[in-house]
Amino acid sequence: MKISHKNLTICACFFVALWTTIWLSACSPKDETILYQLQRLDESIKQRDNYIFQKEKRISLLQERIATGHLPLEEKYGLLQLLFDEYSSYKNDSMFSCAAMLISIADTLQSKDKLVNSYIDMAESYLWAGLFKEAQECANGIDTLQTSLS
């Protein structure tokens, strides 16, 4: 089979066009993507006060529900877990006290699974506070035997 000059030229043009398309798609969108991401970051920063208000509102509602005092321990534990999650990456000192309450309730409920999860929460609060040694000690002390986690 002979390859004609015309077919060779068509193949060459095709590969040049393909290579150019790939090269252009790899180069220019990156700049646009970076610019787009920076614009999104600027918009998020402008919404900072709104995000804080929403976070504080969720925390306040959870605290009010917990403070009623007439909750079964299982429900209180669940609400405290939600509160802990709201505090994560927001107020690590509150994370620590919330984790301590979770441990206390899990111990009262005699729930090994909840106790393990609560100690994991405590270790996480240590990590957020930069207390890496304490986090490691807490994590090393967690006994997962005879739990659904083992």
Side-chain angles (χ1 to χ4, degrees):
M1 174 180 204
K2 262 183 150 179
I3 298 176
S4 70
H5 181 62
K6 182 179 176 184
N7 287 342
L8 190 58
T9 304
I10 291 172
C11 286
C13 287
F14 173 76
F15 285 115
V16 168
L18 181 64
W19 183 83
T20 303
T21 303
I22 293 170
W23 183 78
L24 288 174
S25 67
C27 294
S28 65
K30 287 182 183 177
D31 296 335
E32 291 174 16
T33 301
I34 291 170
L35 183 59
Y36 174 73
Q37 294 298 331
L38 289 172
Q39 289 170 344
R40 286 187 57 205
L41 179 60
D42 286 342
E43 290 300 317
S44 293
I45 291 171
K46 288 177 187 174
Q47 295 293 322
R48 180 181 182 272
D49 291 337
N50 187 36
Y51 295 146
I52 291 172
F53 175 77
Q54 290 174 3
K55 175 72 83 175
E56 290 289 342
K57 186 176 179 181
R58 288 190 303 269
I59 287 171
S60 179
L61 289 172
L62 286 168
Q63 288 173 332
E64 287 173 15
R65 288 183 62 193
I66 292 168
T68 61
H70 300 91
L71 298 173
L73 284 180
E74 288 282 344
E75 187 176 346
K76 187 174 183 177
Y77 183 90
L79 290 171
L80 278 169
Q81 187 65 57
L82 291 173
L83 185 61
F84 178 86
D85 293 341
E86 287 293 334
Y87 282 141
S88 68
S89 76
Y90 185 62
K91 291 185 176 180
N92 54 3
D93 58 330
S94 298
M95 283 177 68
F96 180 80
S97 61
C98 199
M101 287 189 276
L102 285 168
I103 290 170
S104 175
I105 291 173
D107 195 38
T108 302
L109 290 170
Q110 297 180 346
S111 170
K112 184 84 171 177
D113 286 348
K114 283 182 175 43
L115 196 58
V116 167
N117 287 327
S118 299
Y119 275 111
I120 291 170
D121 289 341
M122 181 64 78
E124 181 182 347
S125 68
Y126 283 136
L127 287 174
W128 277 105
L131 302 170
F132 303 114
K133 180 179 179 257
E134 290 80 355
Q136 182 181 13
E137 289 171 357
C138 184
N140 287 343
I142 297 173
D143 179 16
T144 59
L145 293 177
Q146 300 174 347
T147 67
S148 64
L149 304 170
S150 58

